[in-house]
């Protein structure tokens, strides 16, 4: 159970690392990209569950969790640095 949210944490860390570089380059559009990724993650998870409901496993959802975590990292870092 403890490893379930590991992909989200890894995505958050990677998004946080690249957020400062992306903010310097794109400005506040980084927040928009982060919000889009945060919405895209649950959508991908929903579509994954919808299409593979009989044989769902951890690895099928890990990509969606990583995308959502990256969006969280892209939003959180610029907001705390303003």
């Amino acid at each position: 159970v403890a490893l379930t949210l590991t992909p989200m944490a890894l995505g958050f860390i990677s998004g946080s690392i690249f957020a400062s570089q992306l903010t310097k380059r794109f400005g506040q559009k980084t927040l928009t990209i982060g919000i889009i990724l945060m919405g895209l993650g649950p959508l991908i998870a929903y579509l994954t569950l919808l299409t593979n409901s009989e044989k769902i496993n951890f690895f099928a959802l890990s990509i969606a969790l990583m995308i959502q975590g990256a969006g969280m990292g892209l939003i959180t870092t610029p907001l705390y640095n303003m």
Side-chain angles (χ1 to χ4, degrees):
V1 176
L3 294 177
T4 304
L5 294 178
T6 302
M8 187 180 286
L10 293 174
F12 184 86
I13 292 168
S14 63
S16 295
I17 290 171
F18 292 115
S20 61
Q21 297 168 356
L22 291 174
T23 304
K24 289 177 187 174
R25 187 170 182 182
F26 297 113
Q28 290 186 345
K29 291 180 183 177
T30 306
L31 296 173
T32 305
I33 294 169
I35 291 171
I36 290 170
L37 289 176
M38 277 190 64
L40 193 63
L43 179 65
I44 293 172
Y46 174 73
L47 293 175
T48 302
L49 290 171
L50 192 65
T51 57
N52 298 328
S53 60
E54 292 105 23
K55 51 184 177 179
I56 193 70
N57 60 14
F58 169 73
F59 298 106
L61 289 176
S62 64
I63 294 173
L65 290 172
M66 192 172 287
I67 290 172
Q68 186 176 5
M72 291 169 66
L74 286 176
I75 291 173
T76 305
T77 304
L79 286 178
Y80 282 120
N81 289 332
M82 286 184 168

